[in-house]
Amino acid sequence: MKILFLTHSFNSLAQRLYVELTRLQHTVSIEFDINDAVSAQAVTLFQPELIIAPFLKRAIPESIWQKVPCFIVHPGIVGDRGPSALDWAMMQSQTEWGVTVLQANAEMDAGDIWAFENFPMPPVHLTKKSSLYRDQVVEAAVRAVLTAIDRFTAGNYRPRTLNYAQLDVRGKKHRPIRQSDRAIDWQQDDTHTILKKINAADGFPGVLDEISGADWYLYDAHPEARLTGVPGKIIAKRHNAICRATINSAVWIGHLKRKPDNAAASSTLKLASTKALQRYSNGILDDVPEVAFDPFEPEQHATYRDIWFEQKNDVGYLHFAFYNGAMDTGQCQRLRQAYLKASQQNIKVIVLMGGAEFWSNGIHLNHIECADSPADESWRNINAMNDLALAIIANERQFTISALQGNAGAGGVFLSLAADFVYARKSVILNPHYKSMGNLYGSEYWTYLLPKRVDPDKAVPLTQNRLPIGASEACAIGLIDDCIALDRPRFIREIEQRAEQLAHAADYAAQLQRKVEQRKQDEQQKPLQQYRDEELQQMQLNFYGFDPSYHVARYHFVYKIPHAWTPLYLAKHRRIKDKTSIKYCEENRRLLTDWLR
């Protein structure tokens, strides 16, 4: 079936649905919802049998939904209506929530219901909205959309009309949530309440709050059990995070975004808290103590940590839960030191666990953008990533397993290949390419690691097409070794079992020796340093050369500049060389060029 995605962006849900539907042999094309005319043009060009809207910020025009059936993926239970579904669900501490697939009509979120899936809500004070969306919402949405499509293709299913008189319709229409609805009162709110408020706004828009007379949006909150102080005061810092006291303990805040002073002021970036305060409020942290955390000490209480190590029998598990999977220079260096220390422990296997949301998405574009010299910081960051990858590749004392609980992109995918074995959850989406970031060439020894796993005829489209692939597809072409289990607890249990089996294999020593010998042979054939030099020669052109594509693409990405057009690698319907498509591309390129000037 020909299915058109009409979406605000190609986000995690849209990517997952694209992979799932493509796997089922549907022909899927994507159009960003820029305006009514562009959306209507996409329908004319593609002639879809069905339109799916996985992520929209406005209503589909009547001229489209009257012509083609349109399925809206709404992150709420049956009857829930409004733009702040997850925010309100978390603020109200709902114990169950869901996703509803409904058909677009003249009334927002009130169309006929084709499918719905509910899920138990995790503790909201310990779960970020962004995490909830990428995990429970995405999984429920996939099930609901596939059910809806099956019913649609069968041709004999009658969708359910929304009727609030029915007892099982628990949802309701709600207004957009406001900052006043989740404003923090540091003199009254306890830690649980503050965590819930920040988590319910995580990702976007954040909770607006005041720090030293300036307005900031707060993100990435973590509980702290031991530290105390005057409520609201910054009482500690740790690497990238700050700790603020509450009436009964404290919370760590990992990221901040300065609110512009007025509408005419320049845009600001979401940054790690310490970096943001140092950038916009220099000196504010001078008297705040740095409270160290040893990642190799067992956790005794709730606190903030982005790297930690656990040992179980002969296996060591190295976790690195970096916000949004981005790894800046300092994080790469600290993770490398932790890996090297782990390799000195009395263990036979090191498992690189990444974080629950992301394994890694490569270099930290936001921190690069705010540097005095983004080119220089890009260079430092990619070299720190390379140093980390080298430490993993060169380890002759243990086997290393990359265990991808969450998605990975760009350099994060190739960093995972530095390990001896790569396993991923079946739900994981990989973006093993750099080209979307201004034709960035990439490093992390990918020119050494990728050909060892993937045949050239498959490697070229993998790195050039700029499209996501699922874990199953990645396994089929050899990019990863296996995809196992859909849910995270089962995946972790399976990883632990496989790591233990490897550590206690009867031929462990022989396997390790074969690994060492293979690395020596590879080094004789072509030294790792040569791979690195060749990659960095290309990256140097990206960072310092005459072509500004990387810097322009990075700027658009970090400041979330609205799309002027849908890239042709997503919009299959616009690859047709007709006059309408060519005129569309030329006109939008002209508009963007004028804007940049």
Side-chain angles (χ1 to χ4, degrees):
M1 183 164 59
K2 291 175 67 177
I3 299 175
L4 177 69
F5 279 13
L6 193 57
T7 183
H8 179 73
S9 68
F10 199 38
N11 69 349
S12 57
L13 173 56
Q15 291 189 28
R16 177 70 183 283
L17 287 173
Y18 172 84
V19 167
E20 295 285 347
L21 296 182
T22 302
R23 185 181 296 157
L24 294 172
Q25 304 301 310
H26 295 292
T27 302
V28 181
S29 193
I30 296 148
E31 184 70 40
F32 290 152
D33 182 38
I34 296 168
N35 58 49
D36 289 355
V38 169
S39 298
Q41 186 186 68
V43 174
T44 300
L45 287 172
F46 191 52
Q47 295 292 306
E49 300 164 75
L50 177 67
I51 294 173
I52 295 177
F55 175 48
L56 282 184
K57 292 190 174 183
R58 66 191 194 99
I60 296 177
E62 183 177 357
S63 60
I64 292 179
W65 59 256
Q66 286 279 23
K67 182 179 180 181
V68 183
C70 299
F71 285 0
I72 309 295
V73 183
H74 180 71
I77 57 177
V78 172
D80 179 83
R81 297 173 59 196
S84 307
L86 286 182
D87 306 63
W88 282 119
M90 296 184 71
M91 289 295 290
Q92 296 166 357
S93 299
Q94 297 283 351
T95 58
E96 184 182 67
W97 203 239
V99 174
T100 306
V101 177
L102 47 91
Q103 188 165 347
N105 65 10
E107 197 172 358
M108 194 76 166
D109 296 336
D112 289 349
I113 299 161
W114 281 84
F116 65 90
E117 288 282 342
N118 288 356
F119 55 82
M121 285 279 280
V124 293
H125 68 293
L126 298 176
T127 306
K128 299 179 181 67
K129 181 178 69 171
S130 53
S131 304
L132 181 69
Y133 184 87
R134 294 188 187 104
D135 193 347
Q136 286 90 344
V137 170
V138 166
E139 295 306 320
V142 168
R143 296 194 300 271
V145 168
L146 293 182
T147 298
I149 289 176
D150 285 344
R151 290 170 174 174
F152 179 77
T153 54
N156 58 1
Y157 181 78
R158 192 170 180 180
R160 171 181 173 182
T161 301
L162 178 61
N163 183 358
Y164 285 102
Q166 294 176 334
L167 295 178
D168 63 337
V169 178
R170 297 185 295 108
K172 62 181 181 179
K173 185 176 181 179
H174 47 70
R175 59 172 174 79
I177 199 167
R178 300 177 296 228
Q179 284 293 343
S180 58
D181 296 316
R182 46 190 168 206
I184 296 173
D185 184 343
W186 293 93
Q187 308 306 315
Q188 297 292 329
D189 292 344
D190 60 12
T191 297
H192 182 284
T193 301
I194 293 171
L195 287 170
K196 180 176 72 172
K197 289 179 175 180
I198 298 176
N199 284 341
D202 198 80
F204 181 83
V207 171
L208 189 60
D209 193 44
E210 182 181 306
I211 300 177
S212 295
D215 290 333
W216 295 85
Y217 294 99
L218 315 183
Y219 311 86
D220 188 22
H222 305 262
E224 168 57 48
R226 289 188 177 180
L227 299 178
T228 58
V230 177
K233 184 179 180 180
I234 301 175
I235 57 174
K237 58 187 177 183
R238 176 176 298 151
H239 300 304
N240 295 334
I242 58 171
C243 186
R244 297 180 73 179
T246 67
I247 59 173
N248 61 327
S249 55
V251 295
W252 289 93
I253 299 168
H255 283 75
L256 297 170
K257 181 180 179 182
R258 177 74 177 267
K259 181 184 179 183
D261 294 331
N262 54 65
S266 59
S267 299
T268 58
L269 287 175
K270 185 190 297 186
L271 301 170
S273 295
T274 53
K275 191 176 291 289
L277 291 173
Q278 289 162 358
R279 177 179 175 85
Y280 294 104
S281 303
N282 191 30
I284 189 175
L285 298 177
D286 289 351
D287 297 326
V288 177
E290 178 83 18
V291 179
F293 174 82
D294 185 347
F296 287 81
E297 286 294 323
E299 181 188 7
Q300 301 295 330
H301 62 282
T303 191
Y304 167 75
R305 55 182 187 171
D306 58 357
I307 299 174
W308 67 98
F309 177 84
E310 299 174 302
Q311 182 172 341
K312 299 178 182 179
N313 302 319
D314 292 325
V315 181
Y317 300 86
L318 185 57
H319 302 258
F320 43 103
F322 299 135
Y323 191 67
N324 288 338
M327 300 169 64
D328 69 15
T329 302
Q331 289 168 323
C332 291
Q333 292 169 341
R334 288 192 291 114
L335 183 55
R336 176 179 176 273
Q337 290 301 319
Y339 180 84
L340 292 174
K341 185 173 180 178
S343 69
Q344 299 304 312
Q345 308 300 306
N346 186 25
I347 53 177
K348 294 183 176 180
V349 178
I350 298 175
V351 183
L352 300 175
M353 296 295 293
E357 290 185 66
F358 295 99
W359 197 84
S360 169
N361 281 324
I363 59 178
H364 202 308
L365 299 175
N366 282 40
H367 286 182
I368 288 170
E369 183 67 32
C370 78
D372 292 336
S373 170
D376 289 347
E377 185 54 37
S378 298
W379 187 256
R380 285 190 289 267
N381 203 162
I382 195 62
N383 273 284
M385 285 282 292
N386 284 351
D387 291 342
L388 171 60
L390 179 60
I392 300 168
I393 296 170
N395 184 358
E396 297 183 352
R397 298 189 75 249
Q398 294 102 356
F399 283 106
T400 302
I401 295 173
S402 289
L404 280 62
Q405 305 176 61
N407 298 344
V413 175
F414 298 108
L415 178 65
S416 73
L417 305 187
D420 303 294
F421 304 95
V422 185
Y423 302 127
R425 285 173 63 196
K426 289 183 179 178
S427 58
V428 159
I429 297 297
L430 303 175
N431 279 279
H433 48 81
Y434 305 90
K435 287 179 69 66
S436 297
M437 195 50 57
N439 287 316
L440 199 63
Y441 186 79
S443 195
E444 295 95 10
Y445 299 91
W446 76 268
T447 53
Y448 166 68
L449 297 168
L450 186 61
K452 290 172 68 68
R453 288 181 164 270
V454 180
D455 293 336
D457 62 326
K458 294 183 175 65
V460 171
L462 191 69
T463 57
Q464 299 298 310
N465 287 351
R466 293 179 279 184
L467 291 171
I469 64 169
S472 297
E473 289 74 19
C475 184
I477 64 174
L479 183 66
I480 65 175
D481 295 290
D482 202 0
C483 58
I484 48 179
L486 194 63
D487 67 272
R488 184 174 294 110
R490 283 180 55 200
F491 173 77
I492 292 175
R493 289 196 297 271
E494 180 69 20
I495 286 294
E496 291 177 346
Q497 181 179 349
R498 294 192 182 198
E500 289 286 344
Q501 289 175 346
L502 177 60
H504 297 108
D507 63 341
Y508 174 88
Q511 287 189 59
L512 189 61
Q513 185 58 37
R514 285 196 295 270
K515 166 191 168 177
V516 172
E517 290 300 323
Q518 183 62 58
R519 174 82 280 283
K520 288 180 179 178
Q521 291 176 24
D522 291 348
E523 188 68 15
Q524 290 173 357
Q525 184 175 356
K526 182 176 179 178
L528 281 174
Q529 186 62 48
Q530 187 175 342
Y531 286 101
R532 179 169 179 160
D533 291 343
E534 291 171 353
E535 292 170 1
L536 290 180
Q537 185 177 14
Q538 297 296 321
M539 294 291 274
Q540 191 171 37
L541 293 175
N542 292 139
F543 299 156
Y544 297 101
F546 291 109
D547 182 359
S549 300
Y550 159 67
H551 298 290
V552 172
R554 186 191 64 244
Y555 178 87
H556 285 187
F557 177 82
V558 302
Y559 283 108
K560 304 188 186 309
I561 304 298
H563 299 284
W565 66 78
T566 307
L568 293 182
Y569 66 86
L570 296 177
K572 294 178 181 178
H573 52 283
R574 295 197 181 277
R575 298 176 199 168
I576 303 170
K577 300 302 182 182
D578 62 5
K579 294 180 181 179
T580 304
S581 181
I582 293 171
K583 182 179 178 181
Y584 164 84
C585 294
E586 289 177 347
E587 175 65 14
N588 280 286
R589 285 193 177 93
R590 183 188 64 77
L591 292 172
L592 180 61
T593 301
D594 291 345
W595 180 83
L596 288 172
R597 287 173 180 168

